[in-house]
């Protein structure tokens, strides 16, 4: 791919992924609000453990059996055939394994209801495996437009179904079935966009795929466990309602920002894999981190300021106990936003084993911290999460990014400093204003006035502190919200040009 084509594909990718994420997550948020009012915290607590297996399915089947198709400079048909075979077999084996462990492990640890939901979600591994090679080929072509349209459609279906089932009284089952439906539609649409070949075995190609994929899959597995292990650990120690409260708080503080961060994550691996030098990758990652922090930090700072009004008003009074944990976890969300993209960097430079070793240590520290803090309540758990995330941030830059591409913590601080300064201005304006208005106005008015004032203060401070960051945000906004280009076929038709002849 030429440099001009690469830049054009990257810019187009940013636009399509951003637009699809905004549309998809706006629709999903409406459905989440409805679910929060239809399904109790205890039911969410049961579903939270089963939902751990959904991202696991995507990571294990894609990273393990198809990510090498994106990372390698050259591939042939045998690589695709082997990746297809390994992915389908891997998905089947993992589905059967999770199902077989239901009476042996899941029921004794989590109870009958949660174990039943895990059994229900177990086919997600096989379902996800049908889309792995197709996803890899679309990523390899940097076809982010098609990927974005697929994800918007799947997100819509995956959020409408659980709302309908919840209205019919299915509770936690509705949430799990919705996740299965979203995964299934994603795989179907991926296959329609880029069909995979018939599976066949090739020893040489298997070594190429497996040598990279096994370490990448294990690293991804540990990363998913890190982000979801808290639910399982708490489910084994606390009542389901407490787990549901923590699930909601963690989603608000950490997971929802990751939905926006997924824009960077979707672009990062294929784009980093196509950079021509470490210096180009370093510059790209540093600029992405600066813009990323500038976009994510004010949203999380607004959650900290507005949480006491926002959460009960939007989700309902049953979720009020999640306010304080969500405020604390929003700090972890900021750290997570800074960390976004480091696994993709390590995969792009061909260092999945280094990533795996680091992630194993990260998971061990996190699990011990959660298990010890669980004895002291959700506030202690949330505080422990923030401390662990800060430790991980230092470790990522010291042992991974600095060692392999030359980015140190010292280089990071100037990139996120403007966003931090803007958040301090947001809090300085928003916190007293919320306390002033809350006794006098209704929830919507408090949220609207305080939120707008805080974001105005953030933008003003950002522009004063760092004109470069402000310019980057304006460029991003212009890029995302500019009119979308007309597809090539329509441009040819409008110009009266004949369509290109198809190859026999």
């Amino acid at each position: 791919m030429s440099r001009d084509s690469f830049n054009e594909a990257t810019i187009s990718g940013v636009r399509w992924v951003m637009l699809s994420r905004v549309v998809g997550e706006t629709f999903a948020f409406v459905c989440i609000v409805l679910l929060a009012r239809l399904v109790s915290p205890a039911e969410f607590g049961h579903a939270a453990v089963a939902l751990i297996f959904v991202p696991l399915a995507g990571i294990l089947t894609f990273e393990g059996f198809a990510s090498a198709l994106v990372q390698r400079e050259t591939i042939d048909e045998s690589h695709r055939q082997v990746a297809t075979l390994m992915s389908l077999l891997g998905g089947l084996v993992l589905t059967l394994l999770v199902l077989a462990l239901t009476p042996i492990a899941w029921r004794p640890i989590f109870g009958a209801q949660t174990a039943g939901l895990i059994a229900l979600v177990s086919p997600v591994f096989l379902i996800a495996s049908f889309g792995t090679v197709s996803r890899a080929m679309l990523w390899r072509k940097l076809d982010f437009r098609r990927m974005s349209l697929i994800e918007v459609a799947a997100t819509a279906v995956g959020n409408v179904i659980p709302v309908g089932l919840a209205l019919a009284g299915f509770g936690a089952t509705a949430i799990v079935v919705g996740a299965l439906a979203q995964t299934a539609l994603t795989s179907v649409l991926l296959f329609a966009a880029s069909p995979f070949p018939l599976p066949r075995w090739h020893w040489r190609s298997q070594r190429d795929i497996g040598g990279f994929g096994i370490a990448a899959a294990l690293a991804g597995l540990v990363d998913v466990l890190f982000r979801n292990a808290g639910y399982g650990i708490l489910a084994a120690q606390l009542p389901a309602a407490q787990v549901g409260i923590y699930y909601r708080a963690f989603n608000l503080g950490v997971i929802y920002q990751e939905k926006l961060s997924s824009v960077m994550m979707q672009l990062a691996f294929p784009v980093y894999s196509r950079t021509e030098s470490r210096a180009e990758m370093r510059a790209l990652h540093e600029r992405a981190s600066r813009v990323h922090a500038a976009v994510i930090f004010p949203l999380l700072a607004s959650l900290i300021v507005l949480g006491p009004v926002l959460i009960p008003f939007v989700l309902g009074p049953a979720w009020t106990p999640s306010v304080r944990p969500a405020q604390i976890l929003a700090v972890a969300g900021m750290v997570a936003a800074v960390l976004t993209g480091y696994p993709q960097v390590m995969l792009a430079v061909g260092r999945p084993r280094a990533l795996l070793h680091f992630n194993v240590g990260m998971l061990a520290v996190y699990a011990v911290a959660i298990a010890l803090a669980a004895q002291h309540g959700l506030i202690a758990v949330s505080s422990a999460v923030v401390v662990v995330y800060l430790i991980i941030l230092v470790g990522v830059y010291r042992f991974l990014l600095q060692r392999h591409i030359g980015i140190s913590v010292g280089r990071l601080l100037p990139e996120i400093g403007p966003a931090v300064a803007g958040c301090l201005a947001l809090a300085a304006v928003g916190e007293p204003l919320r306390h002033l208005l809350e006794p006098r106005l209704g929830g919507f008015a408090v949220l609207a006035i305080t939120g707008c004032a805080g974001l105005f203060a953030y933008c003003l401070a950002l522009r004063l502190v760092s004109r470069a960051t402000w310019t980057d945000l304006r460029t991003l906004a212009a890029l995302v919200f500019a009119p979308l280009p007309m597809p090539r076929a329509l441009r040819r038709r409008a110009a009266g040009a004949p369509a290109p002849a198809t190859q026999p």
Side-chain angles (χ1 to χ4, degrees):
M1 177 179 288
S2 69
R3 181 54 35 186
D4 288 343
S5 298
F6 174 80
N7 292 336
E8 182 181 353
T10 303
I11 292 171
S12 175
V14 171
R15 176 183 299 182
W16 277 105
V17 176
M18 282 286 289
L19 285 175
S20 68
R21 186 59 56 185
V22 168
V23 173
E25 294 306 329
T26 300
F27 182 81
F29 181 75
V30 174
C31 294
I32 287 167
V33 171
L34 294 174
L35 276 177
R37 293 178 176 273
L38 294 169
V39 181
S40 70
E43 291 288 306
F44 267 99
H46 291 298
V49 179
L51 292 178
I52 295 173
F53 294 92
V54 177
L56 276 179
I59 288 292
L60 291 179
T61 56
F62 177 78
E63 301 289 359
F65 309 118
S67 60
L69 298 178
V70 182
Q71 193 269 344
R72 290 179 60 84
E73 287 190 13
T74 60
I75 60 172
D76 56 32
E77 187 68 6
S78 68
H79 289 107
R80 296 176 64 231
Q81 291 172 339
V82 165
T84 300
L85 178 63
M86 295 174 68
S87 179
L88 295 175
L89 287 177
L92 177 61
V93 170
L94 290 169
T95 289
L96 295 176
L97 177 62
V98 171
L99 194 59
L101 288 174
T102 300
I104 302 171
W106 313 136
R107 188 173 293 120
I109 296 173
F110 303 118
Q113 184 173 352
T114 299
L117 293 173
I118 294 175
L120 176 63
V121 83
S122 61
V124 73
F125 292 94
L126 182 58
I127 294 170
S129 70
F130 280 89
T132 55
V133 172
S134 301
R135 182 188 300 275
M137 297 313 298
L138 290 176
W139 276 14
R140 186 175 181 84
K141 298 173 185 175
L142 302 182
D143 192 351
F144 298 113
R145 173 181 174 274
R146 193 169 299 183
M147 283 294 307
S148 299
L149 295 174
I150 289 171
E151 292 189 3
V152 168
T155 298
V157 171
N159 282 277
V160 168
I161 287 177
V163 171
L165 293 176
L167 285 169
F170 282 91
T173 301
I175 302 171
V176 174
V177 172
L180 282 172
Q182 183 169 339
T183 304
L185 183 58
T186 300
S187 292
V188 169
L189 294 177
L190 284 171
F191 177 80
S194 180
F196 56 74
L198 290 175
R200 289 186 61 185
W201 185 259
H202 302 272
W203 282 106
R204 179 185 59 81
S205 298
Q206 185 277 330
R207 289 194 296 270
D208 294 338
I209 297 296
F212 179 88
I214 292 174
L218 291 174
L221 167 65
V222 175
D223 183 61
V224 171
L225 290 177
F226 170 77
R227 286 185 279 115
N228 294 275
Y231 306 143
I233 294 171
L234 294 181
Q237 299 187 51
L238 299 177
Q242 287 287 92
V243 179
I245 293 297
Y246 179 78
Y247 172 83
R248 178 58 59 213
F250 192 79
N251 271 263
L252 288 169
V254 180
I255 298 300
Y256 287 159
Q257 70 81 19
E258 289 184 355
K259 293 179 182 293
L260 291 175
S261 299
S262 65
V263 173
M264 179 176 173
M265 293 174 68
Q266 287 184 44
L267 295 168
F269 181 33
V271 170
Y272 288 157
S273 296
R274 298 293 174 269
T275 54
E276 296 181 343
S277 66
R278 293 287 193 272
E280 183 181 4
M281 185 183 297
R282 183 166 57 247
L284 185 62
H285 184 73
E286 287 178 338
R287 187 174 187 186
S289 297
R290 179 172 72 243
V291 175
H292 196 222
V295 172
I296 299 295
F297 278 27
L299 302 179
L300 293 170
S302 297
L303 173 63
I304 294 172
V305 171
L306 298 174
V309 178
L310 176 68
I311 293 174
F313 178 77
V314 175
L315 301 180
W319 297 99
T320 300
S322 66
V323 169
R324 187 57 59 86
Q327 290 175 307
I328 297 171
L329 288 167
V331 179
M334 293 181 181
V335 180
V338 176
L339 289 170
T340 298
Y342 86 86
Q344 288 73 26
V345 169
M346 298 306 296
L347 293 178
V349 299
R351 298 287 183 174
R353 293 185 184 278
L355 178 63
L356 171 61
H357 295 155
F358 181 86
N359 284 357
V360 168
M362 176 180 74
L363 175 61
V365 172
Y366 184 70
V368 171
I370 294 288
L372 294 176
Q375 306 171 29
H376 305 285
L378 296 185
I379 300 298
V381 171
S382 303
S383 302
V385 170
V386 173
V387 173
V388 172
Y389 268 65
L390 289 170
I391 294 172
I392 291 169
L393 176 66
V394 175
V396 163
Y397 277 83
R398 174 65 182 84
F399 298 110
L400 296 181
L401 296 183
Q402 182 175 347
R403 180 172 298 177
H404 294 287
I405 65 171
I407 301 180
S408 65
V409 173
R411 294 176 67 101
L412 168 70
L413 295 178
E415 304 296 344
I416 66 171
V420 173
C423 288
L424 293 176
L426 185 154
V429 170
E431 187 68 22
L433 185 59
R434 191 200 86 219
H435 283 288
L436 177 66
L437 297 178
E438 197 171 352
R440 297 172 173 81
L441 299 175
F444 180 80
V446 173
L447 293 173
I449 296 172
T450 307
C452 290
L455 289 177
F456 177 79
Y458 174 84
C459 293
L460 181 61
L462 192 68
R463 184 171 183 179
L464 293 175
V465 170
S466 174
R467 190 166 292 274
T469 305
W470 178 252
T471 300
D472 282 342
L473 282 184
R474 290 183 60 188
T475 302
L476 178 64
L479 172 67
V480 172
F481 296 109
L484 291 173
M486 186 183 298
R488 291 181 181 178
L490 293 180
R491 289 203 303 267
R492 292 192 190 99
R493 193 174 302 170
T502 56
Q503 296 295 326

